Amino acid sequence: MSASIDDRESDAARIARFYDGWSPTFVAAAGHTFQSGLVKAQADAHEDPDASTRLCAAQAGMRDGEQVIDAGCGVGGPACALLQAYPRATLVGVTLSPVQAALAQQLALKRRVADRAQFVVGDYHALPVDPASCDRVFFFECTGYSPDPARLYREAARVLRPGGTVYVKDVFAKPPPWTEAEAAKLRAFDALWACVRTGTLDEAASAAGAAGLEVRTRVYPHVGTARFLGAMMGDDGRPNAFGRGFLDTLAPIVFGELIGEKTP
Ligand SMILES: C[S@@+](CC[C@H](N)C(=O)[O-])C[C@H]1O[C@@H](n2cnc3c(N)ncnc32)[C@H](O)[C@@H]1O
């Protein structure tokens, strides 16, 4: 039996189609940061997407004036937060989705950072910059889309200057063993969000280490998901268009951080 057209669609084409189709709905419901968890300084801190990005940037060791990649940049919320927090930094954002790249450009104009931002339709396994030309490479909730994490981290290492860092803030599968039900939920989570495979933080650390990066990881102590879940509900208390598509996403995951330094 021959494969259907959908069976032959590449991962990249499938992900681009997913985000081209859903991004306007996500923006309307949740704004310009497409992350299910927001990092907080302490447990009772207010959930704020830009504050979460700033905490991550500080953890990554970012300084003003740096050249930065936002790999898997979505519609530009984190990228604009970085450029507003670091007024002399420049940034290249990369997404597979042309719709997202256009929305990100619009946001950068609105937030008056467009002169330091470039949003490119491309694949984060082949970043559109020279070797050793960047100080930070950020991945915010997007590494589960990679079919080849070892290649992903090799590419990030290629573009970093010595002393630069890869910073990953992501959803990871909770460490095994998993029950059959948990394994099924993880695969359902991947199917729902068009991920290729949500791996564990230890697997990510191995892949980044194999790329020659000096790696440290942790599970974040304080992450809020109320804003994300709230964005799924309409004013009438029922799931809105976003919620109707994505409310059923409870999976055995943790929110983790990976910092990989390119040693001099
Ligand atoms: C959950 S969204 C996160 C977006 C953004 N980082 C944020 O925090 O708002 C996942 C993003 O990963 C991007 N992505 C997935 N695979 C990619 C690839 N191979 N190359 C570039 N971007 C990719 C998607 O296009 C989408 O923008």
Side-chain angles (χ1 to χ4, degrees):
M1 197 168 74
S2 65
S4 73
I5 287 174
D6 276 349
D7 289 340
R8 289 196 304 264
E9 188 178 36
S10 69
D11 287 333
R14 186 174 53 81
I15 295 162
R17 185 166 52 78
F18 176 84
Y19 279 104
D20 276 351
W22 277 104
S23 287
T25 304
F26 292 163
V27 170
H32 286 81
T33 295
F34 291 1
Q35 293 175 36
S36 51
L38 297 175
V39 180
K40 302 191 296 182
Q42 69 254 350
D44 61 356
H46 172 65
E47 284 183 29
D48 178 292
D50 289 359
S52 174
T53 299
R54 288 194 298 272
L55 282 172
C56 293
Q59 281 292 117
M62 184 170 170
R63 291 183 294 264
D64 203 6
E66 291 188 342
Q67 285 178 277
V68 172
I69 303 272
D70 185 3
C73 65
V75 295
C80 290
L82 289 172
L83 291 170
Q84 287 182 303
Y86 298 90
R88 291 184 302 115
T90 56
L91 179 146
V92 176
V94 182
T95 172
L96 287 172
S97 157
V99 169
Q100 288 195 324
L103 289 170
Q105 183 61 32
Q106 282 171 22
L107 184 71
L109 284 167
K110 197 169 152 203
R111 296 222 194 154
R112 300 181 187 284
V113 295
D115 56 330
R116 294 179 289 123
Q118 201 189 339
F119 294 100
V120 176
V121 178
D123 187 334
Y124 58 23
H125 300 89
L127 295 168
V129 293
D130 291 335
S133 62
C134 298
D135 303 291
R136 314 288 153 200
V137 180
F138 290 98
F139 294 92
F140 294 111
E141 290 204 16
C142 62
T143 60
Y145 289 98
S146 173
D148 188 349
R151 186 175 154 218
L152 188 65
Y153 290 109
R154 277 200 304 277
E155 177 61 359
R158 178 188 74 82
V159 304
L160 280 176
R161 295 191 177 107
T165 50
V166 175
Y167 186 89
V168 181
K169 178 250 165 195
D170 223 325
V171 169
F172 294 97
K174 90 166 196 160
W178 304 316
T179 63
E180 262 181 47
E182 285 175 327
K185 278 185 182 169
L186 279 168
R187 301 295 73 92
F189 175 88
D190 287 343
L192 188 63
W193 290 98
C195 286
V196 175
R197 182 177 167 275
T198 298
T200 65
L201 191 50
D202 280 352
E203 287 171 334
S206 298
L213 296 166
E214 201 170 288
V215 179
R216 51 188 207 277
T217 62
R218 66 172 178 152
V219 171
Y220 292 106
H222 308 300
V223 172
T225 55
R227 181 180 165 279
F228 180 73
L229 293 173
M232 296 193 179
M233 306 308 284
D235 292 338
D236 59 0
R238 296 151 74 108
N240 56 21
F242 177 29
R244 287 193 294 278
F246 295 92
L247 199 51
D248 187 21
T249 55
L250 295 178
I253 54 106
V254 296
F255 290 98
E257 171 186 81
L258 181 153
I259 301 173
E261 181 176 353
K262 183 163 175 177
T263 47

